[in-house]
Amino acid sequence: MRPFLPILAFVLVYLGATLAWDLPLLVGAAYAVTSLTCFVAYALDKSAAKHDAWRTPERTLLVLGLVGGWPGALLAQQWLRHKTSKRSFQQLFWVTVTANVAGFVYLSSRLAVPA
């Protein structure tokens, strides 16, 4: 799977939601900050794995993705080649991505500023 396609699809969903429901810029900023945080968490975990040091729990990585960091997680997985071969993690990761996007659409439509 091409790692950029899900991110591109989400950007299109985000832009559509912004146009349809007048989302504040803070929402996009929150995704950016959370994605960067998630990318850094993956990078630190990858480094710890190489040096046999304390590892970031998988649950933490998944929660960071669930709350909006999944684009950064996806980039980290591909660029750092981290957590890509563990099937059970990947299955849970995609569940969190789906839950995040569904939650984003639901909350965006419910919390839309009336015109």
Side-chain angles (χ1 to χ4, degrees):
M1 175 192 289
R2 307 235 184 260
F4 300 109
L5 291 179
I7 296 171
L8 177 61
F10 179 70
V11 167
L12 294 174
V13 167
Y14 175 82
L15 290 174
T18 299
L19 291 172
W21 300 309
D22 196 27
L23 295 181
L25 290 177
L26 187 59
V27 175
Y31 268 95
V33 168
T34 309
S35 289
L36 180 60
T37 302
C38 199
F39 188 96
V40 169
Y42 272 76
L44 292 172
D45 189 52
K46 175 73 174 192
S47 177
K50 286 182 177 180
H51 296 98
D52 199 30
W54 180 85
R55 302 282 307 275
T56 304
E58 287 184 350
R59 172 180 273 166
T60 301
L61 297 174
L62 291 169
V63 168
L64 283 170
L66 177 65
V67 299
W70 68 265
L74 188 58
L75 292 176
Q77 288 175 18
Q78 297 305 310
W79 291 348
L80 304 174
R81 301 302 303 159
H82 190 51
K83 297 291 186 186
T84 55
S85 61
K86 190 170 182 184
R87 186 179 177 128
S88 61
F89 181 85
Q90 282 296 304
Q91 289 172 333
L92 287 172
F93 173 75
W94 286 107
V95 167
T96 65
V97 171
T98 302
N100 176 268
V101 173
F104 167 78
V105 171
Y106 175 77
L107 290 173
S108 295
S109 67
R110 301 292 289 168
L111 301 175
V113 177

